[in-house]
Amino acid sequence: MMTLLDQAGKVRSGEELPLEQITAFLNNAGMNLNGIPELSQFPGGASNLTYLLKYADAELILRRPPIGHKAKSAHDMVREAKLMQALKPVYNYVPKVLAICEDSTIMGCDFYVMERIHGIIPRQNMPESLNLTVQDTHTLCLNVIDKMIALHQIDYQAAGLQGLGRGAGYVQRQISGWSERAVQAKTDNSADFSEIVAWLEQHKPAQDAATCLIHNDFRFDNVVLNPQNPLEVIGVLDWEMATLGDPLMDLGNTLAYWAQSDDDAIFLSMRRQPTHLPGMLTRQEVIAYYLEKMGLEVENSDFYVIFGLFRLAIIIQQIYYRYHHGQNKNPQFAEFVNITNYLQKRCLKLIANYSRG
């Protein structure tokens, strides 16, 4: 079963770390580590970069911002780490943060180090050797969704977490904020999103459905499964965008990544989680299941789905913007503008379908 555990690989060129300085910082923080670690990097890394520091007597995870330009409020490592520390007592799936560094002399940016949760991360495809049945896959799907629901059902006020976000008015702030980012990340070869923004403004709900703790990037490749029981979720990762907000916006963001088996070939080719497998819920089934569990009713679920796709398109375009202007040389980002343009067309198609009723 060890071969199923999520593995880090070779560090990408230009994304190496100053290991001696990091080790000295961690030891000054009281960690008593021996020697210089073996360094490897986890796949992904289009946003924050995630590394494995393998010491003789410890395995640690380090998170740092991406190389190059970043939005003013994005990739705040200190905020992410402190938020995780605040959430850990009420949501035990959060990894334990071990050290936070705000000294830019060490590697030129803030970073933090956390415990490694050993387990299986369901990325684009489930490991074939798991041999999950259709019923197993269905159970896993519900278990993952249930972890998002559990987060949304936390009494954040009783837990003293009122300071994690601004709360009410979240929907409007999100539309405004991502609309501004769309303009700022525009390149000469990227699509225009003004028609989509106008539709979102016109069809936004009169008020937020609720205010709760939301993850804002909840998907299968951000959960960790128990190697001894792969249907059990033991960790939830990547808390960079977590805040207080509307839970239906969180759901819409999750569904932006939810490629199902009958989607077009382009959307399926973008798939980064195994939601196409027999036994997985469709997007509409996810919405129905979630609403029932949360006791919510929605007049226009299309709004949240379209917003999620719009937001995802701008996230990808921001990454392409850095590449386009030479601030990041990772060659996998060269085609990201094509994804942005495809998602714009997908949003417009959903808007047209909505208008036809």
Side-chain angles (χ1 to χ4, degrees):
M1 185 66 74
M2 287 299 292
T3 57
L4 297 175
L5 297 181
D6 196 54
Q7 301 294 319
K10 184 179 179 180
V11 177
R12 292 187 292 267
S13 176
E15 297 182 354
E16 299 82 4
L17 300 180
L19 298 177
E20 290 187 7
Q21 294 94 314
I22 291 169
T23 300
F25 165 76
L26 294 175
N27 281 331
N28 287 336
M31 298 192 65
N32 298 318
L33 300 166
N34 295 317
I36 301 302
E38 175 186 338
L39 179 69
S40 51
Q41 188 174 24
F42 286 94
S47 183
N48 292 331
L49 308 181
T50 306
Y51 301 85
L52 173 63
L53 305 175
K54 191 171 183 179
Y55 291 91
D57 51 356
E59 292 189 1
L60 308 173
I61 302 297
L62 184 146
R63 292 260 291 168
R64 62 148 292 161
I67 308 296
H69 173 77
K70 56 184 182 293
K72 182 179 179 180
S73 62
H75 314 294
D76 187 336
M77 295 290 93
V78 175
R79 178 188 181 276
E80 180 177 2
K82 290 184 176 179
L83 186 148
M84 291 169 64
Q85 290 176 326
L87 275 178
K88 179 70 174 176
V90 293
Y91 193 74
N92 195 42
Y93 305 101
V94 179
K96 183 179 180 182
V97 173
L98 303 173
I100 303 172
C101 181
E102 300 181 65
D103 181 356
S104 62
T105 65
I106 293 179
M107 74 161 98
C109 63
D110 296 339
F111 66 91
Y112 71 88
V113 172
M114 64 182 179
E115 66 173 338
R116 183 185 186 186
I117 301 177
H118 289 270
I120 305 164
I121 295 182
R123 300 190 186 275
Q124 187 177 39
N125 297 299
M126 294 295 293
E128 290 184 7
S129 54
L130 283 182
N131 296 317
L132 297 184
T133 66
V134 172
Q135 183 56 52
D136 288 339
T137 303
H138 184 76
T139 299
L140 172 61
C141 183
L142 296 182
N143 287 347
V144 171
I145 298 169
D146 284 344
K147 295 301 174 289
M148 180 168 66
I149 292 171
L151 177 68
H152 292 174
Q153 291 178 334
I154 291 172
D155 186 337
Y156 69 89
Q157 293 178 319
L161 301 176
Q162 299 93 323
L164 293 185
R166 293 163 63 186
Y170 183 79
V171 172
Q172 182 58 62
R173 289 197 302 275
Q174 287 292 290
I175 296 174
S176 299
W178 287 102
S179 299
E180 292 174 5
R181 294 182 190 106
V183 173
Q184 293 166 356
K186 183 80 172 68
T187 53
D188 54 10
N189 55 345
S190 65
D192 180 80
F193 285 85
S194 57
E195 183 179 346
I196 297 165
V197 171
W199 186 92
L200 291 170
E201 286 284 4
Q202 183 180 355
H203 293 85
K204 66 190 176 188
Q207 60 185 20
D208 295 357
T211 296
C212 67
L213 289 167
I214 61 175
H215 183 279
N216 257 331
D217 203 16
F218 200 101
R219 53 180 202 255
F220 277 78
D221 58 339
N222 274 334
V223 301
V224 185
L225 308 179
N226 184 347
Q228 280 67 50
N229 175 16
L231 308 187
E232 178 190 1
V233 177
I234 58 174
V236 177
L237 309 175
D238 198 354
W239 292 91
E240 174 191 355
M241 294 184 283
T243 188
L244 297 179
D246 187 325
L248 295 180
M249 297 289 272
D250 207 11
L251 179 64
N253 295 336
T254 292
L255 293 176
Y257 295 93
W258 202 282
Q260 57 194 49
S261 60
D262 60 351
D263 278 323
D264 64 69
I266 297 177
F267 199 57
L268 284 170
S269 71
M270 294 164 50
R271 180 178 54 78
R272 56 185 299 169
Q273 56 182 2
T275 49
H276 67 303
L277 294 176
M280 288 285 180
L281 274 64
T282 64
R283 288 184 292 272
Q284 286 303 314
E285 288 171 339
V286 172
I287 292 170
Y289 178 82
Y290 176 88
L291 293 177
E292 180 183 2
K293 288 283 188 176
M294 288 291 292
L296 296 172
E297 295 183 1
V298 177
E299 291 184 4
N300 180 11
S301 62
D302 288 345
F303 169 84
Y304 302 99
V305 174
I306 292 168
F307 172 81
L309 285 169
F310 162 66
R311 171 182 173 269
L312 175 59
I314 305 311
I315 290 172
I316 293 171
Q317 180 60 22
Q318 287 177 319
I319 297 165
Y320 176 75
Y321 182 94
R322 293 196 294 268
Y323 175 85
H324 184 76
H325 290 280
Q327 298 162 349
N328 190 307
K329 302 185 185 302
N330 189 335
Q332 69 172 312
F333 300 155
E335 299 299 319
F336 273 29
V337 69
N338 296 328
I339 301 175
T340 297
N341 295 344
Y342 165 80
L343 290 173
Q344 184 250 19
K345 293 176 182 177
R346 188 173 179 89
C347 285
L348 291 175
K349 183 178 180 179
L350 289 174
I351 287 172
N353 291 341
Y354 175 86
S355 300
R356 287 193 294 266

